[in-house]
Amino acid sequence: MTNALPSRGVVLLPRDTRDTLFLLAVIAWVVALQAAHIPPWTTALTGAVLAWRAWLALKAQPLPGWPWRAGLLVIALAGTWLTHGTLLGQHAGVTLVVVLLALKTLELRARRDAFVVFFLGFFALLTHFFYSQTLLTAAGILVALLGLLTAVVNAHMPVGRPSLAQAARIAGGMALLGAPIMLALFLLFPRMAPLWGVPNDGMGTSGLSEEMRVGDIAELALDDSIALRVRFDGRPPPSGLIYFRGPVLSQFDGRQWQPLESGFPGNLRLRSELRPGGEPVSYEVTMEPNRRRWLFVLEAATTAPELPGNRVRMTDELQWVTQRPIGSLVRYRAQSHLDFGHGPLQTSLGLQDHLQLPPGFNPRTMALAQELRRTHGAGPEHARALVDAALDRLRTGGYVYTLEPGVYGQHTADEFWFDRKRGFCEHIASAFVVLMRAMDIPARVVTGYQGGEMNGVDGYWTVRQRDAHAWTEVWLQGEGWVRVDPTGAVFPGRVGSVLRLQAPTGAVAGVLQAAISPNLMALLRANWEALNNVWNQWVLNYTQDSQFNLLRSLGVASPSWQDLALVLLAVVVAVSLAGAAWALWERQRHDPWIRLLRGARKRLRALGVISSERTPPRELAQQLRTRFAADPAAQALAHWLLRLEAQRYAPHSPLTLAELRRDYRRLAWPTRRAT
């Protein structure tokens, strides 16, 4: 039953009900953090179970019997199997852990059951890092951790009705006491790549793909998440020269572009033949995980980025790829020459791969190619004039750069050049390469990121998914592969500035934009992203090299795993000894009243007044008055002992320990032992 407080209109729940509801709220928070990564039916089922359990607690109803629990377990197992096709693995395992955590609350009868729920909750917290390691995720997990610790502390306080605030203060103190050990383990526990980190068996996250279907990159323009951050050693280059090279696509089936699968033997295929020029640009890249095997660097990188435990190489198309997919945040340095040439300077048999077009597609584009060749000439010596003519058509032909070009049909190039005249960067690049190949000019599509923006708070250059871009390369005799960005001919603001097409905003976003100053929003966003960058640099990207650098700063000339282990052991032992000393000191000072009485008892023992820890001050005073009847000092001491007892046990005593401690120091003690 509940006890009502009519004066305040507050209902005081029984302690068991209050504690159960608090624990259910913490579990609901844990599940809510995981909602974006588990199937919708899992969130619905766990929500229903937690709501049912809360209703049972409020109404003081008995818990459901085993048939109910067994039925729900069967439903959970069947749903997991139908969703994931297995009961094992990362995703299926996380689903089952979340469901079992909720189902366990239906048999929450004793403290033992509560402990099982606590530890299931701690395990469920760890699974969040399978999917996200951002600062926001860490903050949410910290709140859940403190909630679970509060519930654990509260379960160890069975007597009375301690407040949740008191349990929370104790839990917070425990977390702070454990922080030094946690910090030592974070700094010194060996990072054993690739075992260290979060396993991934999932599909790629948002970002570029190694295939480009006309219209795909337009979807990325709606994604404002960060792809990579760059810190230049000096002044950043002009935005119009910032091209982060990704997959190069040379094979076209009429609708989709894919990497080249050449039929030529190895000795006839094209080589990179990189010819750097000018001064290099040095920079450091922090790249978000993309579950792909490529690294993004500025065109054209001349030094291989270094990743611990992962080999990196450059392909013949100037794309840098890794041995294993990038499943976690990585940081690497690179050096690029923005003025460069590459590819063969004279006609090569391997260039035939970049002239192939599927038969039966885009007949009007083929006719346009013939018309341009008749007007400007044919052959390698006229290739530059043909490229300029195509770009001039894009500038003056009424073409529009847009996020909503409509759905293209079978003849994508024909529709762009003659019908729609509307497209995003991949529509323009694809149609341009088709036209070039139709004029016997080798050409290919290059995807990656172009441009970005400077964060004025931390000085990092930020590249977002909406900066994803597709441009082209054409081969010109005597020059090799030359970058041509046809999107710049249609919409010059896309290249060389931070101007981007904006996705349509919803009603809520529109209201917020109208209510909040754009400058304030930009400032808040820049500060938040700078804070996230600090988290990325110092926490997520704390690698084995960082550990060795820490040891070098401590004076270890050539650090190794053995040095890490020894330093970690020394730190753990030192912290443990400090904790033991603190516990011993705390034990001695846990009650100032007892400390004061213990000091008096020790001095009385020297006078022959023998007592135990259980002897009250009143009995000590009586012994003094009996044994030192004629000694005024003993009588004053006996009076002080009675005042000490009154301070502790008398109701509404005006005495304070500070007064008693001061009077104790002023007492005159007997100089002879009792007879």
Side-chain angles (χ1 to χ4, degrees):
M1 295 180 61
T2 59
N3 300 320
L5 300 176
S7 61
R8 296 186 180 181
V10 177
V11 176
L12 186 63
L13 297 173
R15 182 184 172 184
D16 288 345
T17 303
R18 183 204 68 176
D19 294 349
T20 301
L21 293 178
F22 176 75
L23 179 58
L24 293 176
V26 174
I27 295 173
W29 176 253
V30 173
V31 176
L33 292 176
Q34 198 69 277
H37 311 296
I38 56 179
W41 68 264
T42 308
T43 306
L45 178 61
T46 54
V49 169
L50 294 177
W52 184 22
R53 183 63 180 87
W55 181 84
L56 293 176
L58 286 170
K59 299 298 182 181
Q61 297 294 316
L63 297 181
W66 70 266
W68 276 100
R69 299 196 302 271
L72 290 172
L73 179 60
V74 170
I75 292 174
L77 293 174
T80 303
W81 180 269
L82 292 175
T83 303
H84 303 290
T86 181
L87 297 180
L88 305 175
Q90 173 181 315
H91 302 294
V94 171
T95 300
L96 284 176
V97 167
V98 171
V99 174
L100 292 177
L101 175 61
L103 293 182
K104 184 61 182 177
T105 62
L106 296 179
E107 55 180 12
L108 191 59
R109 293 183 174 88
R111 191 189 303 182
R112 179 185 61 185
D113 300 319
F115 288 149
V116 174
V117 173
F118 297 152
F119 291 114
L120 270 176
F122 288 127
F123 188 79
L125 280 183
L126 288 176
T127 65
H128 289 74
F129 289 118
F130 288 160
Y131 304 102
S132 175
Q133 301 173 53
T134 64
L135 179 59
L136 196 60
T137 299
I141 290 176
L142 179 60
V143 172
L145 175 64
L146 293 176
L148 285 173
L149 286 176
T150 300
V152 171
V153 171
N154 190 56
H156 282 83
M157 304 167 70
V159 179
R161 185 187 173 86
S163 67
L164 291 176
Q166 180 185 358
R169 286 194 296 270
I170 297 175
M174 293 169 54
L176 289 177
L177 289 176
I181 293 293
M182 179 197 70
L183 181 62
L185 290 173
F186 172 77
L187 292 176
L188 300 172
F189 194 87
R191 262 72 171 162
M192 295 169 288
L195 297 180
W196 179 266
V198 176
N200 78 85
D201 56 5
M203 300 300 292
T205 58
S206 63
L208 293 172
S209 171
E210 57 188 4
E211 298 176 349
M212 187 189 80
R213 183 177 294 272
V214 177
D216 286 351
I217 296 183
E219 298 176 3
L220 282 182
L222 308 178
D223 187 353
D224 206 40
S225 62
I226 294 177
L228 52 143
R229 294 179 173 91
V230 185
R231 184 180 64 186
F232 292 97
D233 289 354
R235 185 175 180 179
S239 180
L241 298 179
I242 297 181
Y243 282 82
F244 290 94
R245 192 179 186 92
V248 179
L249 311 175
S250 300
Q251 198 161 303
F252 186 52
D253 62 4
R255 179 70 178 174
Q256 181 170 280
W257 289 90
Q258 296 178 324
L260 177 65
E261 295 182 5
S262 178
F264 290 107
N267 61 330
L268 296 179
R269 297 177 186 177
L270 297 182
R271 302 301 178 191
S272 60
E273 300 184 36
L274 179 60
R275 299 178 293 277
E279 291 296 322
V281 176
S282 299
Y283 53 96
E284 181 183 77
V285 179
T286 304
M287 192 177 79
E288 298 290 331
N290 56 23
R291 307 292 193 265
R292 305 293 184 182
R293 293 179 54 246
W294 50 69
L295 295 179
F296 290 100
V297 295
L298 286 176
E299 296 181 317
T302 53
T303 58
E306 293 185 4
L307 293 182
N310 206 344
R311 287 206 308 267
V312 182
R313 66 178 181 86
M314 186 181 71
T315 68
D316 291 329
E317 296 167 324
L318 301 190
Q319 181 187 359
W320 290 91
V321 295
T322 60
Q323 183 183 12
R324 289 186 302 275
I326 304 298
S328 60
L329 189 85
V330 294
R331 182 170 58 187
Y332 50 91
R333 291 195 59 81
Q335 195 175 64
S336 299
H337 290 261
L338 304 184
D339 181 13
F340 68 98
H342 69 110
L345 298 178
Q346 300 299 324
T347 302
S348 171
L349 190 59
L351 290 171
Q352 295 298 317
D353 285 329
H354 304 280
L355 291 171
Q356 301 299 320
L357 288 172
F361 284 85
N362 304 301
R364 287 181 289 172
T365 302
M366 301 299 171
L368 174 62
Q370 296 305 316
E371 178 184 342
L372 291 174
R373 294 182 70 179
R374 285 193 297 270
T375 303
H376 300 281
E381 65 275 13
H382 299 286
R384 171 66 73 176
L386 293 172
V387 171
D388 292 340
L391 292 175
D392 186 63
R393 184 182 181 92
L394 289 172
R395 294 188 191 97
T396 60
Y399 295 93
V400 178
Y401 179 65
T402 176
L403 282 173
E404 299 176 343
V407 179
Y408 274 61
Q410 177 182 2
H411 304 291
T412 56
D414 281 0
E415 290 188 44
F416 174 77
W417 285 115
F418 300 100
D419 301 329
R420 300 178 184 273
K421 295 189 175 183
R422 301 167 61 85
F424 198 59
C425 59
E426 74 267 31
H427 301 86
I428 304 171
S430 176
F432 189 83
V433 171
V434 170
L435 180 60
M436 291 297 105
R437 291 188 176 189
M439 295 188 296
D440 287 333
I441 300 176
R444 59 192 184 189
V445 176
V446 184
T447 61
Y449 296 95
Q450 196 283 317
E453 58 185 347
M454 177 70 74
N455 187 320
V457 177
D458 59 7
Y460 276 75
W461 190 267
T462 304
V463 180
R464 306 179 186 278
Q465 295 294 352
R466 62 181 173 86
D467 295 315
H469 192 49
W471 60 95
T472 71
E473 284 183 337
V474 298
W475 183 85
L476 301 178
Q477 187 169 330
E479 298 182 54
W481 290 109
V482 176
R483 181 203 305 143
V484 178
D485 195 342
T487 301
V490 178
F491 186 64
R494 173 59 181 87
V495 181
S497 71
V498 296
L499 185 60
R500 297 290 185 270
L501 295 178
Q502 299 297 321
T505 57
V508 177
V511 172
L512 291 176
Q513 289 179 2
I516 302 177
S517 166
N519 293 333
L520 177 60
M521 286 294 295
L523 179 62
L524 293 175
R525 178 179 182 177
N527 279 276
W528 173 249
E529 291 181 351
L531 183 61
N532 267 284
N533 189 36
V534 172
W535 171 263
N536 290 342
Q537 301 295 332
W538 293 99
V539 178
L540 297 187
N541 205 250
Y542 185 76
T543 62
Q544 60 185 27
D545 290 338
S546 304
Q547 291 181 312
F548 289 157
N549 290 335
L550 176 62
L551 291 186
R552 291 188 185 96
S553 66
L554 295 176
V556 181
S558 300
S560 63
W561 300 118
Q562 291 81 358
D563 298 322
L564 271 178
L566 289 175
V567 174
L568 178 60
L569 180 62
V571 170
V572 171
V573 170
V575 173
S576 301
L577 291 176
W582 178 85
L584 181 62
W585 175 75
E586 182 69 15
R587 181 180 178 183
Q588 298 296 324
R589 64 175 295 275
H590 67 284
D591 190 328
W593 188 89
I594 291 179
R595 290 204 314 273
L596 190 57
L597 176 60
R598 185 179 291 126
R601 185 182 287 116
K602 182 177 180 181
R603 294 187 66 176
L604 288 171
R605 191 176 295 114
L607 295 175
V609 179
I610 307 302
S611 62
S612 68
E613 290 289 333
R614 298 178 181 177
T615 304
R618 181 176 295 274
E619 184 176 333
L620 293 174
Q622 183 62 35
Q623 291 187 49
L624 278 172
R625 286 176 172 175
T626 302
R627 300 185 181 190
F628 298 93
D631 192 333
Q635 300 304 314
L637 179 57
H639 179 65
W640 179 86
L641 287 169
L642 292 176
R643 292 172 63 213
L644 179 66
E645 182 172 295
Q647 194 277 333
R648 182 76 167 210
Y649 298 107
H652 311 297
S653 173
L655 297 171
T656 64
L657 277 177
E659 294 173 356
L660 291 170
R661 194 178 293 111
R662 184 177 60 249
D663 294 343
Y664 176 77
R665 289 194 293 265
R666 295 174 178 174
L667 285 173
W669 286 72
T671 58
R672 60 184 178 84
R673 290 179 60 86
T675 58

